[in-house]
Amino acid sequence: MHLARAALALCLSIVAACSTSDDASPPPTGLAEPDRAALARRLLTGPEWYRHAVVYEAYVRSLQDSNGDGVGDLPGLTSRLPELQALGVDALWLMPINPTPFADSGYDVADYTGVNPDYGTLADLDALLAAAHARGMRVMLDLVLNHTSDQHPWFQESRASRDNPKADWYVWSDTPSRADVGCGTFQAQFGAEAWTLSKARNQYYFHRFYPGQPDLNYRNPQVVKATLDAARFWLDRGVDGFRCDVIGLLVESADGCDMIPETQAYIRQLRALLDEYPDRAMVAESTNYETAVPYFGDGHDMFHMAFNFGFGYFWGFPFAGTEARAVSDKLEASRRGAPPGAQEALVIGSHDVSRAYVAAQKVPSRWRRAAFVQMTAAGTPFIYYGEELGLRPGKVKVVDSRDYQRTPMPWTRGPGHGFTTGTPWIPFGEGAEETSLEAEAGDPASDYAFYQRLLAARRGREAFGAGTMTFLHGDSPAVLAFERAGGGEAYLAVVSMDEAAPQTTRLSAVGGEGEPRLLFGAATAAREGDALVVTVPAEGMALFRLR
Ligand code: NOJ
């Protein structure tokens, strides 16, 4: 086992060395290469780190099992930090790690300040934080505040009678509706009525998700205090921030339940709490797929980041077409009206939606081009574990059909795929052998090698994390082109939406002087007067340094 891991580590470091070959050609006059490693260290230090980090969403249950019980755990994840860092990952977001009856894969929290015994102990989390921080990596936790598990002691108490001290900690009603809870009564995605009868109280409780996930009542100041205390507990332990689950849904009203002023006020309190600690950041799971703007407040008082799901969950459709505008419109729409400095979080998948492999209808260049946009457009990229391998879905569900995209990581070719020495909690996805890290790390044409080169190209370049983004519309409607500028440099990203023939486009108002320098991918670019003429191969993409 250890030998196999050592061999894999060696293999990874060889690919890492090869991956910088895109960068090895001598720079044209005037484009000297600074020390990118030193720049990356500087950009990833201090309060703005989250703009420059590449974040990796980890389902602890499926990352690495350390004790042979078939369930991934915190010590296992800690042992895989070298591989994740070799990929180019700077920060982790862990899906919920709290104790849970597992009605919603951990999004049903039974204890806000504990660790799920399947995953380890608080000491194991401390060890993960220490190991990550020693490598300059960060760890963010999922904070699930809208609801608890029905097994949480708060709910157990609340449901016991109508007059106990926590009777008002959840949203109760005599009937399966309430005039001041205007959120509908049926949760289609979770296949359940939104109100469930509790016999002890002979009242109904409100739940936006499964019946085992009662909504907390944020109109009760004790709930506000208790949940902020939970966040403080983890900040005191040294976590670097939070991914905040369906945070827009905290408070209900007659007119609606999404980011109403009372919810925004809570978010401001949460932000003020984070600001008491140095270098912490939080990202909102937006429930609005059109725009992330409501989550940013004035740019300083709410979220550091919010997911752009308009692109992140729907890119499969525009990439099945040939219109570059279909992508640029999605990227622009979400940001319209955002305060200065607002940072979107860019994804091409998550634990909630089909694997990128499925969204791309199994066409590799589609998920690769989408990932290229994710890494080069304005925002912070969040990679869902396994995307770097082109992981394919599973066929078995334990909790619900989202388990198809939550299968164990195949680290090696062999049985158990280096994930476990036992029986995995759920079978591996399709093609685990050829999509294993071991198989892909040795192949320069693999998804893994692609991701590693792409992340290396982004690294230490301020323009990507914090620069401006300007879309350029040339005469080929199939070429998506945008310029990123910042840190005294400028870059041009081009992507062809055409899968049949090369595309040539004439772009005007492109920054810089002299011939662009190709950093990643394949395309040609030449200045002609004031224009830049770019030719991109079918299904192609390229990143140029302009200045
Ligand atoms: C969003 C999470 O991403 C999803 O997995 C979960 O089921 C719901 N929130 C409820 O917590």
Side-chain angles (χ1 to χ4, degrees), residues 11 14 19 24 76 96 147 159 194 221 251 259 266 272 281 285 312 339 347 390 397 421 442 473 503 506-507:
C11 181
I14 290 169
S19 71
H147 45 267
R159 75 167 12 155
V251 193
M259 285 299 267
Y266 178 91
E285 185 202 16
V347 296
K397 52 182 172 181
T421 53
H473 301 288
Q503 291 290 316
R506 175 178 288 269
L507 304 172

Side-chain angles (χ1 to χ4, degrees), residues 104 107 144 147 190 209-210 213 243 245-246 285 351-352 402 406:
D104 187 11
Y107 284 95
V144 187
H147 45 267
F190 291 83
F209 300 96
Y210 285 122
Q213 295 169 290
R243 174 268 188 187
D245 189 66
V246 292
E285 185 202 16
H351 62 285
D352 284 327
R402 291 174 296 173
R406 299 176 183 181

